[in-house]
Amino acid sequence: MILPLSLVAVVAVAFLSLAAGPTPVGVFSGLSDWLQGLNTPAAMVIGDIRLPRTLLALAVGASLGLSGAALQGLLRNPLADPGLTGASQGAALGAAAVFYFGLFPAAGEVAPAVAGLLGAGLALLLMLSLAGSARTSLVIMAGLAISTLAGAALATVLNFAPNPFAMQELVFWLLGSVSERSLKHLGFLLPALLVGGALIWRQRQLLVALSLGEQVAQSMGFALARGSRMIVLGTALLVGASVAIAGNIGFVGLIVPHLVRPLVAHRPDRLLLPSALFGAALVGLADICVRLLPPGREIQLGVLTSLIGTPLFIWLIWKDRQRWL
Amino acid sequence: MALIDIRHLSLPPRLADIGFALDAGEMLGIIGPNGSGKSSLLHCLAGLLPYSGECLFESQEIGGMTPRQRAQNIGLLPQSCDSAWSLSVEDVVSLGRLPWGDCKTSAVLDAMDQAGVSKFRKRKVDCLSGGERARVWLARVLAGSPRLMLADEPIASLDLYYQRSVMETLRRYANAGNGVILAIHDFGLAARYCDRLCLMANGGIHAFGTPAEVLTEDGLTEVFRVPVHVDLAARPPVITTK
């Protein structure tokens, strides 16, 4: 029941997102014009501005929601954040290098995304080689170490920014946004979403077996080391690609699985798809809010998700506390 | 043909030259001081630890079986178990079907009946008492219908009622034509419910045989380094420190 409901929520958010904006435009007529290649104002607003933004918000949300659900299941810890793999800081560092060094000028608008993906990949390689064939907890420790290292390098880049404008541009990019992106960006994110999602989906039975601990999972015939690596790899792909495209969209990966868990009887395997869909709907909704706020300096999407996510998180902790009092 | 036949099993420095055989329908209790290798032995048989030597399950080497095949035939009830999530009893028990890749409802219902957890099948496992939870973990293993069950101290920290309840469930499971190997510290219950006992010390077997052969005052005193009083004629058997 939860899956159809979350699908309806995503479709509704997508429609609202296409309809929301300063210029009133018919969604269906605009889409139809754009699909037919007509050069009408409605086709331009829908096809060139709102559709990429909507699809990116949904894809980023789905990536973060899914990776959060997978990582929390793997670590058996509801506080696990997908950023723990080190990929998100690696992606941020890669993208920051573009602003600082002007890398990949030929890539144009997608240069931060290209560099972000490379940064995430490099962080991932470092993390996996540091962890070796170690147990899950050490893989995450290695992720944390690489994440801290990339964070320190990022701070250094910010410290030595060539001018205040470059630093401002970089900081705003890092705060997270899906505005001023094109369908080209989606071309980067979608394959990562599909591959990362597939890697995680194939390990869904391991995630449910891990509910009772690593010993139980192993005794039930699961290849723990290999399966864990696949999940970490999938998570890192999803998070790395999301950060590379949209910067840091905080709290989605942490909060969405929390919200969905009671609706799926707390089963880690049943949590995956609804978390992806709820994540998509949440980020899509937050992006609509960003656009509906009064004109002026637009609040960055990542800031808004953090502002919404933190009170929600506090409320969840409070609710859980009441249960045990 | 023995259900499980172990020959020269070693895992230095924890286990050295372990060898015994167990038939279907038998319940074997592994006793010994802390650190004597009881859990390591069970973990080797469950595929969690590597070993040298031979471990034949129905004449097939355990190391040569696929992990799934092994899990379908050999079930492990670990010493400590906990659910990371607030799962329902029914969901936890159905995890036992994972090695089979199905949700066979009849096996899950039967396992809940055997372990006596059917009446709270809809409750969350984190809201149960320690004794109720122990039976849920047991039902999870029973749901997989393994031919050989390995139980690592399944009655540790349980009260008298749940101790007897778990031991009787294991005994019934063995009587149904399966094998049960359990690590246990309660010699009275071990003498009462097990067909054979294996007394371990320093990673090796000190004595193996019927309870009367293994539970001797001299043997227990030597291994546990405290004077032990044994009265197997009493009902129930009494084994205690002097």
Side-chain angles (χ1 to χ4, degrees):
Chain A
M1 194 59 197
I2 183 72
L3 212 55
L5 266 179
S6 40
L7 258 174
V8 169
V10 170
V11 172
V13 167
F15 180 80
L16 277 176
S17 177
L18 289 174
T23 320
V25 176
V27 173
F28 293 113
S29 59
L31 264 179
S32 155
D33 287 356
W34 179 71
L35 285 170
Q36 290 171 49
L38 300 176
N39 213 9
T40 62
M44 282 197 290
V45 170
I46 294 288
D48 295 341
I49 301 171
R50 292 190 195 165
L51 187 66
R53 187 169 182 159
T54 301
L55 293 178
L56 272 177
L58 297 181
V60 166
S63 300
L64 295 175
L66 178 60
S67 55
L71 205 65
Q72 289 180 7
L74 176 67
L75 296 179
R76 310 176 72 231
N77 189 336
L79 290 176
D81 183 89
L84 281 179
T85 56
S88 79
Q89 286 288 22
L93 178 63
V98 168
F99 291 96
Y100 190 71
F101 299 111
L103 297 178
F104 311 120
E109 56 171 345
V110 291
V114 174
L117 274 179
L118 285 176
L122 193 65
L124 189 62
L125 272 178
L126 279 173
M127 184 267 279
L128 290 176
S129 46
L130 178 64
S133 56
R135 49 194 301 178
T136 314
S137 54
L138 211 66
V139 170
I140 296 305
M141 289 278 277
L144 196 59
I146 299 303
S147 181
T148 313
L149 182 70
L154 186 63
T156 312
V157 168
L158 284 171
N159 193 135
F160 294 106
N163 56 64
F165 302 108
M167 187 161 91
Q168 194 183 27
E169 196 182 2
L170 175 54
V171 168
F172 267 95
W173 188 89
L174 287 174
L175 290 178
S177 172
V178 287
S179 68
E180 292 163 32
R181 294 342 187 236
S182 69
L183 286 175
K184 271 191 207 167
H185 288 94
L186 197 66
F188 279 89
L189 185 52
L190 217 50
L193 177 58
L194 291 176
V195 174
L199 284 174
I200 289 170
W201 183 248
R202 283 172 63 91
Q203 302 300 329
R204 63 193 184 284
Q205 288 206 323
L206 171 63
L207 287 176
V208 71
L210 276 170
S211 302
L212 300 186
E214 295 186 0
Q215 269 187 359
V216 170
Q218 269 183 296
S219 75
M220 287 201 287
F222 289 94
L224 187 62
R226 192 181 160 280
S228 305
R229 276 167 174 270
M230 291 298 119
I231 294 169
V232 170
L233 191 66
T235 306
L237 260 176
L238 294 174
V239 179
S242 300
V243 176
I245 301 295
N248 286 316
I249 310 285
F251 261 94
V252 177
L254 185 63
I255 198 82
V256 166
H258 274 276
L259 292 171
V260 178
R261 197 166 278 122
L263 309 176
V264 295
H266 297 258
R267 287 201 41 153
D269 52 342
R270 293 185 196 151
L271 185 66
L272 297 175
L273 277 183
S275 288
L277 293 171
F278 265 89
L282 185 72
V283 174
L285 209 56
D287 188 49
I288 295 171
C289 293
V290 164
R291 280 180 272 164
L292 292 181
L293 288 173
R297 177 114 223 183
E298 200 176 70
I299 187 170
Q300 294 295 94
L301 178 60
V303 178
L304 188 67
T305 55
S306 294
L307 284 175
I308 299 171
T310 317
L312 264 176
F313 197 51
I314 291 171
W315 172 70
L316 282 172
I317 294 169
W318 183 258
K319 209 177 73 169
D320 209 37
R321 202 183 89 152
Q322 301 299 316
R323 209 176 119 213
W324 297 106
L325 282 178
Chain B
M1 181 177 64
L3 183 67
I4 188 151
D5 190 355
I6 299 167
R7 298 170 191 169
H8 310 296
L9 184 147
S10 293
L11 172 66
R14 298 193 220 173
L15 296 170
D17 200 25
I18 304 286
F20 62 79
L22 184 76
D23 290 325
E26 282 190 322
M27 186 154 149
L28 168 68
I30 301 186
I31 57 174
N34 294 331
S36 59
K38 303 183 294 295
S39 296
S40 297
L41 175 59
L42 295 182
H43 288 178
C44 284
L45 301 182
L48 301 188
L49 287 174
Y51 60 84
S52 60
E54 278 184 281
C55 260
L56 304 173
F57 178 84
E58 292 183 326
S59 304
Q60 193 184 355
E61 174 58 46
I62 290 177
M65 297 163 101
T66 63
R68 175 172 271 218
Q69 213 182 352
R70 188 202 68 229
Q72 287 172 350
N73 286 297
I74 303 174
L76 172 72
L77 178 61
Q79 191 173 348
S80 59
C81 198
D82 195 17
S83 175
W85 313 111
S86 185
L87 297 173
S88 72
V89 168
E90 200 167 21
D91 276 340
V92 170
V93 178
S94 66
L95 294 186
R97 297 303 301 173
L98 280 175
W100 298 91
D102 63 27
C103 315
K104 202 170 162 191
T105 322
S106 58
V108 173
L109 292 175
D110 191 38
M112 287 196 289
D113 272 345
Q114 284 184 62
V117 299
S118 298
K119 61 177 181 288
F120 45 83
R121 54 188 278 200
K122 296 289 179 198
R123 282 174 64 189
K124 297 288 183 192
V125 76
D126 52 342
C127 297
L128 301 178
S129 72
E132 289 168 334
R133 241 181 279 181
R135 286 191 291 161
V136 174
W137 311 140
L138 175 61
R140 192 270 304 168
V141 186
L142 292 172
S145 318
R147 292 295 320 282
L148 175 66
M149 177 179 310
L150 309 169
D152 196 355
E153 299 188 25
I155 56 167
S157 76
L158 295 187
D159 67 23
L160 294 175
Y161 173 81
Y162 287 117
Q163 283 183 10
R164 204 180 69 165
S165 156
V166 167
M167 290 303 283
E168 284 183 350
T169 306
L170 291 175
R171 185 65 253 179
R172 280 197 301 273
Y173 195 66
N175 289 346
N178 303 299
V180 174
I181 302 180
L182 79 155
I184 185 166
H185 279 297
D186 188 316
F187 303 147
L189 288 174
R192 186 170 162 189
Y193 287 99
C194 294
D195 300 298
R196 285 193 283 168
L197 293 180
C198 173
L199 174 59
M200 292 187 71
N202 302 317
I205 293 181
H206 187 275
F208 187 92
T210 61
E213 288 166 341
V214 174
L215 296 175
T216 62
E217 288 190 353
D218 289 345
L220 294 177
T221 300
E222 184 188 339
V223 170
F224 286 91
R225 293 168 296 158
V226 284
V228 178
H229 165 71
V230 177
D231 182 3
L232 294 179
R235 284 289 168 266
V238 175
I239 299 105
T240 181
T241 52
K242 279 181 183 168

